[in-house]
Amino acid sequence: QRKVDWLVKKIKNLYRKKEYHMVDIISKIEMEDGKAIVTIDIQENRPVHVKRVIFKGNEKVSDKKIRDFIQTKEDWIFSFLNKAGSYQEENIEVDKRIIEQVYKTYGYINAKVTDSKVEQDPCDNEFIVTFTIKEGEKFKISEITVDGKEILNEDYLLAILPIQPKQIYSHRAMFDAIELLKDTWGDHGFIFADVQPNIEPNVEDNTVKIHFNTDLGNKVFLNRVSISGNLKTRDYVLRRKLASLCEGDLITKTKMDRAKDTIEGLGYFVLPDGVNWKTTK
């Protein structure tokens, strides 16, 4: 019986992925000549979709801005283009986190989705999904510090950042700042540099202090270049284009990017993912 119940559950999950959320499955086990005969009766019913997605408590960020990012979308005439209208239970939790990230992009660092409710309309059984949001206050940046590790000037690092004091805090801009700092350290040979921000909010004046902590690791020098996946192009043809990468040289992000662009420029590989580096220690 346990295996049959597991099979019924698996079949239901397959149907739900196809939007048949009202599928009714009845299993029956009969014994005949010492053997078990399992009969599974399936009543599919009709597909059920997401009819409405409702947001409550969002006074400062519009419904449209939130809808652009979440995975659960309302059914419409061209739903087949982006799977709009599909209800998948696991996406609700994902969407809660996405909504909070959207708010952090607009400076509401304490925004929370306090509740999510999924109901079925009694008239047509279509889903109505409701997210309740507590927005909180918008925060500005009061101070930014970066440790140059006695290698780079802190004023230079601060000047190139896409975030500055007095600006609205943005989670997206923070991500861009982290990637820019990684690239900058990568240009100095620290291609495995790890940058982590320390964010200190002040709820009294709705500001945040940001300090970027950096673990540089060691500078990386080139030991060997291995080439794979080039079924139609000989190694020596590609290696001629890698003159900027010599064994024993310091590896920098600029050198790696230049070599990648050169190989892509040969036109032998499918873009944008035809040429990729994999750097191993």
Side-chain angles (χ1 to χ4, degrees):
Q1 181 65 47
R2 188 182 304 170
K3 288 185 177 180
V4 174
D5 291 342
W6 174 83
L7 180 60
V8 169
K9 184 178 180 180
K10 189 171 184 179
I11 293 173
K12 283 185 176 180
N13 287 336
L14 290 173
Y15 268 98
R16 285 167 182 161
K17 288 185 181 297
K18 297 293 184 180
E19 311 310 325
Y20 287 87
H21 296 278
M22 297 179 64
V23 63
D24 189 17
I25 301 177
I26 299 175
S27 63
K28 182 171 63 174
I29 302 176
E30 298 176 305
M31 299 301 297
E32 184 176 312
D33 298 330
K35 296 181 179 180
I37 299 175
V38 180
T39 303
I40 297 177
D41 182 27
I42 302 175
Q43 184 177 349
E44 293 180 333
N45 296 312
R46 67 175 185 82
V48 182
H49 302 93
V50 176
K51 180 169 69 173
R52 292 185 65 195
V53 178
I54 300 171
F55 306 102
K56 293 184 177 180
N58 59 315
E59 297 177 357
K60 298 164 185 175
V61 178
S62 69
D63 289 8
K64 183 181 183 305
K65 287 179 178 178
I66 301 174
R67 282 198 178 98
D68 285 343
F69 292 95
I70 63 173
Q71 298 182 16
T72 304
K73 299 183 182 296
E74 296 176 353
D75 190 32
W76 69 306
I77 190 171
F78 293 117
S79 292
F80 63 90
L81 295 174
N82 61 355
K83 296 185 178 180
S86 174
Y87 171 70
Q88 302 300 328
E89 184 178 356
E90 61 273 16
N91 285 351
I92 300 300
E93 284 301 315
V94 174
D95 285 338
K96 288 168 66 175
R97 304 287 83 80
I98 289 175
I99 291 170
E100 291 173 0
Q101 292 303 316
V102 170
Y103 266 90
K104 286 179 172 61
T105 296
Y106 289 100
Y108 299 94
I109 65 174
N110 293 323
K112 293 289 182 184
V113 177
T114 58
D115 187 36
S116 59
K117 184 184 297 183
V118 180
E119 303 171 294
Q120 286 185 272
D121 191 312
C123 297
D124 55 16
N125 289 312
E126 298 283 83
F127 289 109
I128 300 173
V129 181
T130 304
F131 295 100
T132 302
I133 304 165
K134 183 178 180 182
E135 294 180 315
E137 299 297 328
K138 182 181 288 188
F139 280 67
K140 288 186 177 182
I141 301 170
S142 62
E143 181 182 330
I144 303 174
T145 55
V146 185
D147 185 1
K149 301 293 184 181
E150 298 183 351
I151 299 173
L152 296 178
N153 184 276
E154 182 179 17
D155 290 339
Y156 164 73
L157 293 173
L158 291 173
I160 66 173
L161 290 179
I163 55 174
Q164 297 295 324
K166 298 183 180 179
Q167 290 181 351
I168 299 297
Y169 173 87
S170 169
H171 200 66
R172 176 64 196 180
M174 279 288 293
F175 174 82
D176 292 341
I178 291 170
E179 292 303 305
L180 179 60
L181 288 173
K182 286 182 178 179
D183 288 348
T184 301
W185 286 114
D187 284 338
H188 288 78
F190 300 97
I191 63 173
F192 293 115
D194 181 38
V195 179
Q196 296 293 334
N198 181 33
I199 303 171
E200 300 179 16
N202 185 336
V203 295
E204 293 183 359
D205 59 3
N206 298 326
T207 61
V208 292
K209 292 182 180 179
I210 302 170
H211 176 69
F212 289 99
N213 297 301
T214 306
D215 180 8
L216 292 181
N218 297 317
K219 286 188 175 183
V220 180
F221 295 85
L222 180 61
N223 180 32
R224 184 177 67 253
V225 175
S226 300
I227 301 173
S228 62
N230 53 318
L231 302 180
K232 299 179 181 179
T233 310
R234 297 292 184 89
D235 277 18
Y236 74 85
V237 174
L238 301 179
R239 289 184 185 277
R240 282 204 304 251
K241 300 296 181 179
L242 297 175
S244 61
L245 291 175
C246 299
E247 294 182 1
D249 283 356
L250 178 69
I251 299 177
T252 68
K253 185 177 183 301
T254 297
K255 287 182 180 181
M256 293 173 66
D257 287 345
R258 186 183 301 125
K260 182 175 183 292
D261 291 341
T262 301
I263 298 298
E264 288 178 344
L266 294 173
Y268 297 152
F269 304 97
V270 178
L271 300 179
D273 299 320
V275 180
N276 286 296
W277 287 108
K278 183 179 179 181
T279 309
T280 54
K281 296 182 181 180

